[in-house]
Amino acid sequence: MAYLHLPMNLLLSSLLLTLLFNSTSVAAWKSSASFPSQQLVPRPTSYIVHTLNTSRPAHILSQTEWYRSLIELLPNSQTPNATVTKPQIFYEYQTVMQGFAATLTPEEAQIISEHDGVIRVYRDQLSIELQTTHSPDFIGLSTYYGIWQESNLGDDVIIGLVDTGIWPESQSFNDSGLLPVGSRWKGKCENGTRFNSSMCNNKLIGARYFNAGAKALGFQVGDDDNFTSPRDQAGHGTHTSSTAAGSPVLGASLFGKANGTARGLAPKAKIAMYRVCWHDVCTHSDILAGMEKAIEDGVDILSISLGTSRWIPYYEDSIAIGSFAAARHGIFVACAAGNSGPRHNTVGNTAPWVTTVAAGSIDRTFTANVTLGSGEVLFGESLYFEVMNGMDMLPIISIELCYDDTLVPSVIMGKIVVCPDAWVGTGFLIEAAGGAGLISINGDPSAGETIVDESYTLPSLMLGYDEGRKLLAYLNSTTRPTARLNFDGHTIIGKKRAPQVAVYSSRGPSYEVPELPKPDILAPGNNILAAWPSEVPLSDDPIDPRRSDFNILSGTSMATPHVAGAAALLRHMHPTWSPAMLRSAMVTTALVLDNRDRTIIANENSQDATPLAFGAGHVYPQAANDPGLVYDTGFEDYVKWLCKLNYTSKQMGSFVPSPVNCSDAHSDPNWDLNYPSFGVVFKNQTRQRVVRRRTLTKVSDLPENYTARVVNLVQEKVEVIVKPEMLDFIGPFEKRGYTVEFTSKVSANASFEYGFAYIIWENEEHQVKSPVVFIWSTVPEFNSYSG
C-alpha cells in the first residue's frame, strides 16, 4: 500500500504495492528500506489465507486450532530443515475477514488453497505510496456559530487512522479540557521503542503498531531510525491525525509561513493511531490487522490515506475488504483517491462503502516573484523563510536534467539554476555546488499551474507551467540572462481563486465499475500545514538538517482527514445515522462553485472541472448538517452490488462469510445501488435507454415537499426524465422512491466520451444535489453492471 500524499520531492511511481500518497521519493525509499536480498531471510514470502468459518471440520473446536492444523499438515512443518524455517502464522483475522496470514513458500500456499473451506490464498504485497491553520476556515467552519459550536467540536467521537504512527509529544495532541473516553472504548496504547502507555491521554486514546507482515517479507523494522512502536518515523501519520482532530495550537507555522492557530476539523474528537507502515512500506497483512483492531476497539470514523497505484479487484484489496467490515459495524471510512492525476481512470479506493476523497487547493498563497533582466516580473510561490528584496541581479542558467553530475560548481556556481520539477534534494545539490538560488518550474504541460510548495533550504521559488514558459523564452532570447529573486515573506489569504482541483488528484471513472462515480468529494489537500515530528527531517531526506513542529504537505492524503474530521462533526450531531447517510449528507450538499461564485476549475488547464475530478464538489460541513434528504444504503445492498459484478462464490467470500444467493441481483437489470450520485454507461447503439431507481430518506423535522430539477449539460446527447417530479414527506425518516430514465440520442464513436448532469430535489429550505456522469464507450471490455 502507499501513502496518499505527494512526496516532498516527487510523486512516487508504482513499486510493488504503493502507499497511496507518500512524501518519500523512490530514491529515498531505496536508501532507507532494507530489501529481502540484503539479509538472510529463509522465508521471504508470506500469504493471506481467507477461510469460510462454516466449513471448519466438526471435530476441530476453534478457528485457531483449524489454522494450526493446516500449517502442521505441511511437509516442512514436520521435517525441519537447516536452511528453511517452519511456516508460521503471524496474524489471525476474525473481524475484517475469517482467516490468517503466515510465512509460506509458494508450494505450501498451493497446498493450503486446495483444502475445503479455504476461499482464497494470495501473496502478501507491499504498498509504498502514502497518499491546518486555514483549511477549516476555508470550508466554512467558524468558532462563533454553526456546526463547530453545535457539535462541541466533535467532542467524544473517535477517529482511527491507519497510517505511519504518531508523535505523541506534539501540542496538537494536547488533551487540555477534554474528558476521558467512555467505557465503549476497548482500545489501548501499546508500549514500544520510545513509546509507552503514559504518552496517551484524553486526546490520543489509542496507539498500536503492526509489523509482522513487513518482517515476514524481510524488511528491517525496529532499527534506530524506525521505532518498533506507534511512534511516527515518517511524519505522515502525525500530519494526517492532526489535520483530522488536532487540538488548537496558537502561533503554528513553518518558519513563519501559514502562521496562525492550527487545529483539526474536529478539535475535540479522540484520536486512535494504528501504525502499519515501516520505511514507507505497508503490507496488506499489516493493514488488515490494523483495521481489524480499529473495528474491535470501537472507532467511529476511519481515515485511510493509503492505497495502491495499480488496479486490483475488490476481493484482493485489503482496504476494500477491511472497510467493508468497518461499514458493516457502522464505521464511516474516508479514503484517499490517489495522486495519479490528471489522467482518467486513475482513481483508487473506489468501493461504494468508502467515501473517496479528491484533493483541492485553498485560497492561501506564499507569494514570491522573480525579476528578469528584461524587466519582466514572473509570479510564483515560495516557502523560503528569509525576506529578500532588492538583491543583486545574478546570472541564471537552465538545466534540463538536474542531477548530481550536472549540478557541478564549474557550471552553476554563483548562478540561479532553473530546474523542471525540482525536489528538496535538488536544492541540497545546488547549494553544495555553490549555486545562488533555484527556480523550479512545472515541466509537464499537464501539471498546469498547480504549485506544490517545497521547503528548499536556499533562496528558491516555484513557477507554474505558463510562467515557466515565459522564463524559458527569456533565457533563449539573450546570451547573458540575469534575474533577481524577491521574497516578501507574505502569506496571502482570499485573493487566489479556490478551490481548484489539484493536478495530481486522481480522476474517475473507476475502471472496474464506471457506473459508480468516483471520487465522491473534494477537500483541501494542497499545501496543508499540520503537525510534524520534531525529530524528523522536513523533507524526509536524511541529509536535511531542519526540524519543525509543523510542516506543509500536499496530496489526497491531506484531503482525506479533512473529510474524516467533517464526518466526526456530523456523527456527533447525528449519532444514529449510518455511514452511507453521513456520506450522502456531504455529497448532496457539496459546493460546485468556488470563492468567486464560478465553477470549480482544474488546476492543470484552468478549465471547468467535472465530477470525474471533484466528485459532487467541495465538502461543506455546515450544509451537510441539515441536508433535508439522504440516500441510505445498508449491508445487504452492498452484497447485492457485489453480486452485480459477477463475482464467484469464492470471490464473494472475501466479504461475506456465508454463501450468497445472487439470483435476486441478476433478476432485475435496472437495480442499482442507492448511491447519492449516478453513473450511466452507453454502448454503441443509439437511443439506448438506462433506468435507475433511488430511495430518499427524510432527515429534517418538519413536513416538506420537494420538486425535481434536472441540470443537463449535454441535452443534445442525452434525455433525462425523473418520475415522479414531486415528492411529499411528512415524518422523520420517511422514505420515498423515484426513477430516472436516461436515453442516449447518439452512439459511441470513440473509446471514451463523457458528459455530465445534475439531478436536484429542492424546496425553499433544502437542495439535494446528485451529480450524473455519462460515459459513451466503444471498448467492449469496459465493465458495466450485469443484468
Side-chain angles (χ1 to χ4, degrees), residues 51-56 63 66-67 98 117 657-658:
T51 63
L52 193 64
N53 60 350
T54 56
S55 298
R56 186 181 73 222
Q63 297 294 107
W66 182 28
Y67 301 155
Q98 294 289 329
S658 54

Side-chain angles (χ1 to χ4, degrees), residues 726-753:
M726 297 185 66
L727 294 174
D728 298 331
F729 295 86
I730 305 299
F733 299 104
E734 190 174 11
K735 298 180 184 292
R736 292 284 184 270
Y738 69 95
T739 62
V740 188
E741 297 178 3
F742 304 100
T743 305
S744 177
K745 301 177 182 179
V746 299
S747 59
N749 54 23
S751 296
F752 299 102
E753 293 180 84

